[in-house]
Amino acid sequence: MSVRPLPSSTPSAQGVDASGVLALLDAVDAAEHIEPHSLMILRHGRVVAAGWWAPYAPDRLHLLYSISKSFTSTAAGFAVAEGLIGLDEPVISYFPEFEADITDPRSRDMRVRHLASMASGHEAETFERAHALDPDELVRGFLLLPPDRDPGTVFAYNQPATYTLAAILQRVTGRPLSAYLRPRLLDPLGIGEVAWLTDRHGRELGFSGLHGTTDAVARLGQLYLREGVWEGKRLLTREWVAEATRAHIPTAGAMGDTDRQDWHQGYGLQFWRSRHGYRGDGAYGQFCLVLPEQDAVLAMTAATADMQGVLNLVWQHLLPAFRPQPLSGREDTDAALADRLTRLALPPAVREPAPPERAKEWSTARFAPYGGVCADRPSLTGAAVTADAHGWTLTLLEDGHRLDLRPGSGAWTVAEEPVPTAVSGGWTDGDTLAVDILFLETPHRMRVTCSLTGGTFTARWATAPLHGGPLRSLRAPRRPA
């Protein structure tokens, strides 16, 4: 289906000081440990700023990591309204085949709301332990792991809790989460293509793995900001929105980092409370930030390990830009912001061309992993550099497959197959080739460095992927033709 554009407006007409947005862009671009990919700001239901840092683009699906949880929560809201699940029903009641195996009283007392609020009673993440107890069925492994405390009394960010909630939803609806959400959420909101990673059972993961556009994230945030109403039609119940976005359990200190203030405000039903408003967020800087007091939504994708730093910049620069009334005489600032948004770009690697005196050596060079194995990507077994009439190609070898990359010096070279990438790089000296690879449907960047003298290469992640699989899997899942 074609995606209906969200209504747009100048910032000043919606009471937004464009200089605050410009200051946010300046701060994000200047931050050493933040690589921004996209930003959308809605005020009073209208887009007042939207930009993508090239080579990222508006129609590009992007791995949202744990924003997936907020879409799973929304599916739960529909299922509750339809009488398919009950928040106070025992989790085990949805898995009668495990009834005889699950004997711990705390596990048997776990309710659906405990899954949704990350309050299963476990004191820490359970993924590895649950998988060890049952490598073939994560739900069973999770339920076999006795909670440390009574369900509902302690918070732990816990992937199997959301996975189990998603498994319940897919069982009671008889379809994948994305298919269940299509007529209830995605189509009514005008959200086009999405794709969700699945496990060996064909279940969409629920806790992660959703790929969608920044526009889709913004629309979800706007639906919650309007308490479940979209274009005058109620989709979600007001009660669900209130329940999902209030704090059900305290989180202060639970994440083990006293500097992460926005993770210490409490947890809802697959939504975080923030110092201002609430949010869905995903690893490495994916945000769906809802600000009811400001009647605003911010959607963002990025690659960073400093997510609190991103929010700090939002609070510092953007929050003061929201004013109670339209602003007059700001046409020049609005125009400056509009121009800036069209010029956003990630700087490519600017390096030297192949050294002429060693070009022949480089054109047939083969490389083995430095030290015998790539520390960041052990499955990479070799690399090669070749030249033809069209330029240089870096080839990475991984479990019998090859990934051919044509780096542009001073520019990004984009390719769609076998995995969407943008590549730039060149020679730092006669002995060393360094290439940066953006995996465009994810937050991830890899730098490959080849040494001609040593005949070795290294591959290092800026942010390491959290899902397994080869490099060619770093893309949104594609439907079979």
Side-chain angles (χ1 to χ4, degrees):
M1 64 172 287
S2 60
V3 175
R4 304 185 301 274
L6 289 166
S8 61
S9 173
T10 62
S12 58
Q14 304 305 319
V16 179
D17 185 348
S19 64
V21 183
L22 285 165
L24 175 63
L25 295 176
D26 287 341
V28 167
D29 279 338
E32 181 180 357
H33 300 297
I34 299 172
E35 179 184 287
H37 295 167
S38 69
L39 176 74
M40 289 183 70
I41 302 169
L42 280 64
R43 183 91 192 282
H44 304 326
R46 296 183 176 274
V47 179
V48 296
W52 284 258
W53 280 258
Y56 290 87
D59 58 351
R60 175 76 67 181
L61 297 184
H62 196 283
L63 175 58
L64 302 176
Y65 277 118
S66 284
I67 291 180
S68 308
K69 292 179 171 72
S70 299
F71 281 85
T72 299
S73 172
T74 306
F78 288 118
V80 167
E82 294 168 14
L84 297 176
I85 65 171
L87 288 180
D88 293 311
E89 293 297 317
V91 174
I92 191 61
S93 68
Y94 294 93
F95 302 99
E97 69 273 31
F98 305 146
E99 176 81 26
D101 300 333
I102 310 306
T103 58
D104 182 83
R106 286 173 170 163
S107 293
R108 296 184 66 85
D109 193 44
M110 195 187 303
R111 310 290 160 156
V112 173
R113 71 168 61 252
H114 299 141
L115 301 177
S117 60
M118 295 293 187
S120 64
H122 298 94
E123 293 180 337
E125 169 68 59
T126 65
F127 188 90
E128 296 297 333
R129 291 175 290 158
H131 184 266
L133 286 171
D134 193 330
D136 295 320
E137 176 51 86
L138 188 61
V139 171
R140 182 174 177 273
F142 172 62
L143 293 175
L144 283 172
L145 189 64
D148 306 288
R149 292 163 60 179
D150 290 342
T153 64
V154 62
F155 171 85
Y157 200 63
N158 195 353
Q159 312 306 328
T162 311
Y163 178 88
T164 301
L165 174 62
I168 290 172
L169 293 168
Q170 291 171 98
R171 174 166 288 198
V172 299
T173 65
R175 65 196 79 175
L177 291 170
S178 57
Y180 178 64
L181 286 172
R182 175 57 64 188
R184 293 163 176 81
L185 177 78
L186 304 179
D187 284 349
L189 265 58
I191 293 174
E193 180 186 7
V194 299
W196 215 318
L197 294 177
T198 60
D199 66 4
R200 67 179 69 185
H201 300 290
R203 291 180 189 144
E204 292 177 343
L205 298 182
F207 64 85
S208 187
L210 179 63
H211 295 68
T213 62
T214 313
D215 180 85
V217 174
R219 289 169 191 254
L220 180 73
Q222 184 65 26
L223 176 69
Y224 274 81
L225 180 66
R226 290 289 175 262
E227 298 181 323
V229 173
W230 186 263
E231 295 180 345
K233 181 180 179 181
R234 177 160 298 284
L235 303 181
L236 274 175
T237 67
R238 181 181 286 107
E239 292 76 17
W240 178 262
V241 173
E243 189 74 359
T245 61
R246 73 173 178 87
H248 285 253
I249 192 157
T251 56
M255 301 299 287
D257 187 340
T258 56
D259 294 331
R260 302 183 80 200
Q261 305 99 308
D262 282 288
W263 279 260
H264 296 165
Q265 308 302 317
Y267 195 77
L269 303 182
Q270 309 291 287
F271 285 89
W272 290 92
R273 295 295 306 179
S274 296
R275 284 179 288 171
H276 306 278
Y278 58 88
R279 70 191 192 281
D281 68 34
Y284 301 128
Q286 325 320 309
F287 287 106
C288 177
L289 179 60
V290 182
L291 300 169
E293 290 188 12
Q294 290 75 28
D295 194 26
V297 171
L298 180 145
M300 185 175 184
T301 62
T304 180
D306 185 15
M307 293 177 66
Q308 183 63 67
V310 174
L311 290 173
N312 290 345
L313 294 178
V314 171
W315 307 145
Q316 179 183 353
H317 299 292
L318 183 60
L319 205 63
F322 294 122
R323 307 294 176 78
Q325 301 294 333
L327 306 174
S328 60
R330 305 297 180 93
E331 292 82 5
D332 289 349
T333 311
D334 286 350
L337 174 59
D339 176 67
R340 173 73 173 276
L341 290 167
T342 66
R343 295 184 291 105
L344 297 176
L346 297 179
V350 180
R351 301 189 177 107
E352 297 299 316
E357 70 278 7
R358 305 193 73 179
K360 185 175 182 180
E361 293 177 81
W362 275 106
S363 65
T364 57
R366 301 293 183 270
F367 303 91
Y370 178 79
V373 65
C374 276
D376 277 13
R377 196 73 188 183
S379 57
L380 283 177
T381 56
V385 175
T386 54
D388 59 23
H390 301 289
W392 293 90
T393 298
L394 170 66
T395 298
L396 301 180
L397 304 176
E398 185 178 34
D399 57 24
H401 294 264
R402 55 188 288 155
L403 177 60
D404 294 324
L405 306 162
R406 287 188 174 273
S409 181
W412 293 105
T413 301
V414 175
E416 297 297 329
E417 298 296 339
V419 58
T421 55
V423 189
S424 67
W427 279 262
T428 59
D429 56 50
D431 186 57
T432 308
L433 171 68
V435 173
D436 283 11
I437 310 161
L438 301 176
F439 292 87
L440 290 174
E441 293 181 349
T442 80
H444 301 302
R445 177 195 289 248
M446 172 183 278
R447 174 166 295 177
V448 176
T449 305
C450 300
S451 171
L452 189 60
T453 300
T456 59
F457 77 99
T458 60
R460 303 291 186 191
W461 291 111
T463 55
L466 301 182
H467 298 293
L471 292 178
R472 62 186 180 278
S473 71
L474 292 177
R475 64 181 305 164
R478 298 301 194 260
R479 292 178 181 154

